[in-house]
Amino acid sequence: MSNSASNTSVNVNPSQSAASNAAAPNPKAAVPVLLFSFVFCLVLDNGFKFMTKPIAESLDLSVSTASLQATLAGILIGIGAVVYAALADSISIRKLMIVGIGFVAVGSLLGYFFQGVWPVVLTARIIQTAGLAAAETLYVIYVTKYLSPEDQKTYLGFSTAAFQAALLIGTLTSGIVATYISWPAMFLISLILIVAIPFLIKTVPEEQQQKSHLDIFGLFLIAVIATAVMLFMQQFQWWWLVAAALGVALFVSHIRTHDNAVVSPSFFTNARYVCALIVVLVVYMVQLGYSAILLPYMVDELYGINLDGAAYILAPGYLCAVIVGVMSGKVAKFLTSRQAIVAAISIIIVALLIPAVLPGAGVSTVIVSMILFPSGFALMYAPLVATALQNIPAAKSGVAIGFYNLTINIAVPVGIALTAMLVDSRPAFFSALSIAQSEAEGVSATIAWLLALMAVVGLLVYVISDRIINDTAENRERVQA
């Protein structure tokens, strides 16, 4: 998953809960259990994404088939964030959290007891993820609703750093579990979340909420579009592309004809916002495609390192990403948003070019690549969000960020599916652009080159669109002057 939960809070109007805030004697008392749930669910989510290879080997599946447990879950996380944010206006956060934990428990038990049956495992992951989405969303909503603006900055900052830390803990945990125990044990570990229920009941207030509208059909169409695109990337069967195109057409018609649609058509007439969404869609496709799919394959095939070792290779990078995330506010004092975005995507490209050019050159090159890669994403998130919202009215910023984060959660699983398909098909046509000496090295180099080129496309889209938009704005100001 990407840092999609970190900004969901803006969908909630703090003034709606003023009475509840006054009634709550100590709203900060609930923060520890909610933050624990937030981090723990992120750890589980990212841990299972890193389990694709051992699941494929255990159940005799292709990597692309096994990746469905990560890709479908990723799409559900994105849609679930929007759903839970909307439901929080009419149902208390305490109830939603308990229901979410119930989903996690049911899915985890189902997956563990039927660990040898792939369709049931996939169903279990989907049920489990429906619950994980609750904690990943509701922590931020609670902080925004119940804490003062000064405290919000502190505790929302915790969520940003916690996301990067959860990536680190999730990869380490999954590597250890897969290597020394067995991947189904991750389902049992998920049950630890049940211990949070008594603390939620004790500390999270039970308040009356106002009713709100939930655009179920709009969310359904988004799910259809995302799933169809993902399946097309896996199978290259054209009817999935037709389904995606039909879904887009219905979605456009829906938002034009319904006032309470999940997103307003006006968002798509905002050039800067649309261009930012395109950049997000392209660049975030490489995020877990590299770290969760290509990296485990690469270190296993080239260096004989198991999943446990691959997790330790990721650790320094995620630690650096935590630091970059914490320091992002200070970075903004020295770099403009444009400079930070260009620098961040450039770092991502360099990180991918290292294994693309130097496959098999040593584990140290992979470690350097994985230090740069997550750090680039940590640097990019905040300025890219600020750029996307630059011309969005404050009253509409909540919906805008919700759709922005939903785009991330669509891009990530599609990238996982695409990279898994590439691993299965084993292309080697870019091996001449590297020092590859074997087929495995050529395959790794080719996939890394393709991911790097995707990041280059994202950078070009941003730079060119930003220049055109700025020039257009300057010309308009001259005419008005």
Side-chain angles (χ1 to χ4, degrees):
M1 187 190 106
S2 54
N3 191 6
S4 61
S6 302
N7 287 291
T8 310
S9 59
V10 293
N11 290 318
V12 181
N13 184 356
S15 63
Q16 291 178 348
S17 325
S20 297
N21 290 348
N26 184 12
K28 293 182 183 179
V31 170
V33 67
L34 291 172
L35 184 59
F36 162 77
S37 302
F38 173 82
V39 173
F40 190 75
C41 287
L42 281 171
V43 167
L44 293 174
D45 183 36
N46 288 289
F48 270 104
K49 284 173 180 166
F50 207 62
M51 284 287 190
T52 295
K53 190 171 184 291
I55 290 175
E57 294 173 348
S58 173
L59 301 180
D60 195 24
L61 304 169
S62 68
V63 175
S64 59
T65 299
S67 71
L68 285 171
Q69 64 85 22
T71 54
L72 291 179
I75 292 171
L76 190 59
I77 285 284
I79 296 173
V82 178
V83 171
Y84 280 113
L87 290 177
D89 287 335
S90 56
I91 302 174
S92 71
I93 290 175
R94 180 202 292 179
K95 288 180 180 177
L96 290 174
M97 281 293 300
I98 293 173
V99 169
I101 293 173
F103 279 128
V104 172
V106 171
S108 299
L109 290 171
L110 185 66
Y112 182 78
F113 287 113
F114 293 91
Q115 58 189 261
V117 184
W118 167 240
V120 180
V121 170
L122 182 59
T123 302
R125 280 285 293 128
I126 291 173
I127 295 172
Q128 182 193 60
T129 303
L132 298 179
E136 294 185 27
T137 303
L138 296 174
Y139 166 76
V140 185
I141 293 177
Y142 179 88
V143 168
T144 304
K145 293 182 72 172
Y146 287 97
L147 302 186
S148 67
E150 294 75 17
D151 289 331
Q152 287 177 28
K153 295 177 182 178
T154 300
Y155 291 108
L156 291 178
F158 287 170
S159 72
T160 302
F163 173 77
Q164 297 296 337
L167 287 175
L168 168 61
I169 299 169
T171 52
L172 289 175
T173 301
S174 62
I176 293 170
V177 169
T179 302
Y180 299 107
I181 310 175
S182 180
W183 70 265
M186 280 292 286
F187 281 120
L188 293 182
I189 293 173
S190 306
L191 297 175
I192 294 174
L193 191 59
I194 295 174
V195 304
I197 291 178
F199 299 96
L200 290 170
I201 294 174
K202 181 178 180 181
T203 60
V204 179
E206 176 70 24
E207 76 278 20
Q208 292 295 324
Q209 302 279 15
Q210 298 178 357
K211 291 187 177 181
S212 63
H213 173 78
L214 182 63
D215 182 17
I216 295 176
F217 185 62
L219 293 170
F220 168 75
L221 290 175
I222 292 171
V224 168
I225 295 167
T227 304
V229 170
M230 179 195 68
L231 292 174
F232 173 75
M233 290 294 187
Q234 284 187 311
Q235 303 172 11
F236 282 99
Q237 294 173 332
W238 291 103
W239 55 76
W240 291 119
L241 199 58
V242 172
L246 180 61
V248 170
L250 289 173
F251 183 74
V252 170
S253 174
H254 176 70
I255 63 175
R256 283 181 174 178
T257 56
H258 292 78
D259 294 336
N260 292 322
V262 65
V263 66
S264 168
S266 63
F267 288 119
F268 302 105
T269 61
N270 185 315
R272 196 175 293 278
Y273 182 73
V274 171
C275 290
L277 291 185
I278 295 172
V279 173
V280 165
L281 190 62
V282 175
V283 176
Y284 274 91
M285 283 175 67
V286 310
Q287 188 183 41
L288 289 187
Y290 180 34
S291 60
I293 302 297
L294 178 58
L295 178 72
Y297 165 82
M298 185 168 58
V299 297
D300 182 22
E301 292 283 328
L302 305 188
Y303 306 109
I305 298 175
N306 58 25
L307 193 62
D308 181 34
Y312 286 111
I313 289 174
L314 285 166
Y318 285 136
L319 283 174
C320 289
V322 171
I323 296 172
V324 171
V326 171
M327 300 294 290
S328 59
K330 294 185 178 180
V331 171
K333 296 179 181 179
F334 300 97
L335 297 177
T336 64
S337 290
R338 187 178 193 277
Q339 292 170 335
I341 293 168
V342 171
I345 302 179
S346 298
I347 290 171
I348 293 169
I349 293 169
V350 171
L352 290 166
L353 288 177
I354 292 174
V357 176
L358 304 172
V363 178
S364 60
T365 60
V366 182
I367 294 174
V368 172
S369 172
M370 285 311 305
I371 287 175
L372 295 173
F373 189 72
S375 299
F377 278 97
L379 177 62
M380 180 181 67
Y381 185 82
L384 190 54
V385 169
T387 298
L389 299 182
Q390 186 171 325
N391 297 325
I392 299 290
K396 297 182 178 180
S397 62
V399 176
I401 287 185
F403 205 80
Y404 178 98
N405 288 332
L406 186 59
T407 304
I408 293 178
N409 280 287
I410 291 173
V412 168
V414 169
I416 291 174
L418 177 61
T419 309
M421 182 272 296
L422 289 171
V423 168
D424 282 339
S425 59
R426 299 180 66 83
F429 46 79
F430 281 155
S431 58
L433 301 177
S434 71
I435 63 169
Q437 299 296 317
S438 67
E439 181 195 3
E441 291 178 357
V443 171
S444 297
T446 298
I447 297 174
W449 267 110
L450 291 172
L451 294 178
L453 289 174
M454 289 172 62
V456 169
V457 170
L459 179 60
L460 290 175
V461 169
Y462 172 74
V463 171
I464 294 172
S465 64
D466 185 67
R467 175 65 60 86
I468 293 173
I469 292 169
N470 287 338
D471 289 346
T472 302
E474 290 175 3
N475 292 335
R476 187 182 299 114
E477 290 176 0
R478 293 194 192 100
V479 171
Q480 292 175 347

